[in-house]
Amino acid sequence: MKRAIVALLLLGAPAPLAAQDTPAEPPTSPATAQPAAPAAVVVRQTVEPPAGAVIGQHITLNVDVLFRGDMPRPPRVSLPAVPGLQTFRFESQGTTISETIDGARYNGQRFGFALYPRRGGRFDIPPAVVTLLDRQGGDAGKADGREVTLEVSVPDGVDASQPVVATRKLTLAEDWAPDPRESFDAGDAIVRTITRTAEDVSGLAMRDLAFPAPEGVRVYADPPDIEDRSNRGVVTGQRRDRVTYVFVRGGTVVLPAVAQPWWDLAAGALRTEQAPGATITVAAAPIAAPARADAWRSGLALAVAAGLAAVLVGAWLVLRRRRAQAPGGEPAAFAALRRACGGGDARTVYDAFAIWCRCLTAERRAVVAQAAAPLSAALFAGKPAAWSQADGARLVERLTGIRRSWSAPAALPALAALNPAGPLRPEHARSGP
C-alpha cells in the first residue's frame, strides 16, 4: 500500500513543473528540474514596530535594496507622500547589508525613513521609488518595493487636534535673562527661553507654545530654533523657543506657565512637562511734583530714559528678527511658498507656509491660518482630504489677495503690533511637519 502511494506521488509531482515549460521543451522530471534563477534585485519594505503604534510615535520604515553579487552603486530611494504622515530622512547614506537568499549572495543597502503619524487609523504606505544606478552614476532602471500597512491608535486622554509627542523621554527647561527675582523698572525687558528635548522625536513634531501678553507687557517671539541629531538611526529632537517681555509700566506682572503634554511609551501613560513661569514686580516711574520745576525735569528725564530703553530694546529685537529671517525676509519666504504650492506636495507646502508665518505678526498669522484651513485638513484632519496643484494655486491666490490688503506687506511691523505673539494653530486636528 505504501509503495502505491509513493508511486502516485511521483507520477503527480511533474505535472505543475511541466505546465510552466514552453511547448518546445519536453517535460522535465523532478530529478532534472532546475530552480528559478534568483532575482537580480530584491526590494523589501518593513515597518518597526510592526504593530501597536500610537499617534505621534516614531515609526521606522526600512527599505532594503539588495543586488545579487556586487552592488554597482548605491541607488536613490524616495518615499511618496502619505497624508497624515510626516516623513523624514535623517541619514544621507544607507546602511550596508549582506545576506544569502536561495543560496545566492546579495549585497546592498538599507534606507531608513522616520514616520510620525499625525492621526489615528490605517495608513497604506506605497512602494518606495527605487532608482538603480550604474557604476558611472547613470540611470540604470527602476525597482519596485511592496506596499505596507500601518495601524495607528489614539490613546485615551490624548488630544489629537494638537501635535502629539510620543516618546520614552522628554525634558523641558526654562531659562530667564536676567533673573526674574531682580528689580525691574518700566522700560526694562526680560528674555524667556523654553528648551524641549525628546528622544526619538523630531523637533519639528513639537507643538507651538502660546505666550500670552499680560496687561502692561509687550511680547516679542523669535522664530524657534530646531535641531535634530541622529546617531545610528536614533533621533534626538530639540526645539528652543525664545520670547522677550518688555514692561511698559509698573506693577506686578504674572508671566504664565507653559506646558508640553506627551505620551510616555514606556509607561503607557499621558504626562505633562511644565515651565512654571514667573511673577515679576516692576517699579513705576516716579510722578513729578507739579510745584517744583526740578522734580518735573527729573520725572521727564526718567520718562525719556524709559522710552529710550524701550526703543533700544525694540531696535535690538527688530535686528535679531531680521537676522533670523535673512536672507530676503517676508518676500523671500512668500516666494518660496509660491514655488512649493506649484509642486502639489501638501507637506512641502505646509513647511514653507510655516516658515512664512514666522515673518508675520500674530494678528496676520491668525488671518492666513484661516485661509490655509484646507491645507491643514489635507495633512492633519481626522480624515485627511486630497491635495493637488490646483489646491496649491488656489491657496496662493487667497494669500496673495490677503497680502495686497496689507499696506506694507514686506515691511517689519511696528513694535506695538507684535503684541501678543501667538503660535500658528490650525483649527483642524493635526500633528506635524
Side-chain angles (χ1 to χ4, degrees):
M1 182 64 179
K2 291 182 179 180
R3 292 180 180 177
I5 294 174
V6 171
L8 289 173
L9 291 174
L10 291 176
L11 289 173
L17 294 175
Q20 295 175 11
D21 293 331
T22 60
E25 296 180 359
T28 56
S29 66
T32 60
Q34 298 296 322
V41 180
V42 175
V43 180
R44 294 186 303 224
Q45 291 184 206
T46 57
V47 291
E48 297 177 6
V54 300
I55 184 172
Q57 181 178 355
H58 175 193
I59 310 297
T60 299
L61 174 69
N62 291 320
V63 181
D64 296 346
V65 185
L66 294 161
F67 298 81
R68 190 175 71 244
D70 293 333
M71 177 176 60
R73 195 180 185 93
R76 292 195 300 265
V77 178
S78 61
L79 192 67
V82 181
L85 281 181
Q86 278 185 306
T87 305
F88 301 95
R89 275 291 307 277
F90 293 103
E91 301 288 350
S92 59
Q93 298 293 330
T95 303
T96 301
I97 56 176
S98 180
E99 63 180 272
T100 300
I101 303 176
D102 295 334
R105 193 64 177 172
Y106 282 77
N107 298 283
Q109 286 194 337
R110 168 171 291 176
F111 299 85
F113 294 83
L115 310 180
Y116 292 92
R118 295 302 160 211
R119 62 171 177 83
R122 173 187 171 118
F123 294 90
D124 295 320
I125 303 174
V129 178
V130 179
T131 303
L132 307 178
L133 305 175
D134 57 26
R135 297 188 183 279
Q136 290 71 40
D139 194 333
K142 303 288 184 181
D144 296 327
R146 182 172 297 178
E147 181 180 270
V148 293
T149 299
L150 175 65
E151 293 286 348
V152 176
S153 64
V154 179
D156 292 339
V158 171
D159 181 8
S161 67
Q162 295 291 323
V164 178
V165 173
T167 180
R168 295 180 181 275
K169 182 180 180 181
L170 184 143
T171 60
L172 186 151
E174 180 180 54
D175 295 308
W176 299 89
D179 192 316
R181 293 171 294 184
E182 294 184 6
S183 299
F184 291 87
D185 296 323
D188 288 347
I190 189 170
V191 178
R192 183 185 194 181
T193 303
I194 306 293
T195 302
R196 289 169 286 170
T197 304
E199 178 183 289
D200 227 16
V201 173
S202 168
L204 292 169
M206 298 182 189
R207 71 196 306 172
D208 291 331
L209 296 177
F211 296 97
E215 187 177 356
V217 180
R218 294 175 182 170
V219 183
Y220 304 92
D222 286 356
D225 295 328
I226 295 176
E227 180 183 358
D228 292 326
R229 300 184 300 273
S230 178
N231 183 16
R232 297 183 179 181
V234 178
V235 178
T236 300
Q238 184 179 87
R239 171 166 173 160
R240 183 176 291 108
D241 293 271
R242 184 181 293 106
V243 295
T244 300
Y245 300 94
V246 179
F247 307 118
V248 178
R249 59 176 181 266
T252 300
V253 175
V254 178
L255 303 179
V258 296
Q260 170 65 65
W262 61 288
W263 181 257
D264 188 339
L265 292 172
L270 183 65
R271 304 189 185 280
T272 300
E273 300 298 324
Q274 183 166 289
T279 300
I280 298 176
T281 301
V282 182
I287 301 175
R292 300 184 56 180
D294 55 346
W296 180 85
R297 294 190 192 97
S298 176
L300 178 62
L302 287 174
V304 171
L308 180 60
V311 169
L312 291 175
V313 169
W316 172 70
L317 291 169
V318 168
L319 289 175
R320 188 167 67 179
R321 176 179 287 270
R322 283 178 173 172
R323 287 196 298 269
Q325 296 171 357
E330 189 273 344
F334 189 77
L337 172 58
R338 183 187 297 274
R339 291 192 297 270
C341 287
D345 181 6
R347 183 171 60 85
T348 301
V349 174
Y350 185 84
D351 291 342
F353 177 73
I355 292 173
W356 176 59
C357 283
R358 294 170 190 163
C359 303
L360 307 178
T361 66
E363 291 81 1
R364 291 181 176 180
R365 283 202 299 270
V367 173
V368 298
Q370 293 179 358
L375 173 63
S376 299
L379 284 172
F380 311 121
K383 185 178 180 181
W387 184 265
S388 64
Q389 287 183 331
D391 295 315
R394 284 190 289 268
L395 176 60
V396 167
E397 183 179 359
R398 287 194 297 270
L399 297 180
T400 299
I402 293 173
R403 289 178 82 240
R404 288 173 180 167
S405 68
W406 298 336
S407 59
L412 286 169
L415 293 179
L418 288 173
N419 180 26
L424 173 66
R425 301 171 63 89
E427 296 297 327
H428 296 269
R430 69 148 283 180
S431 68

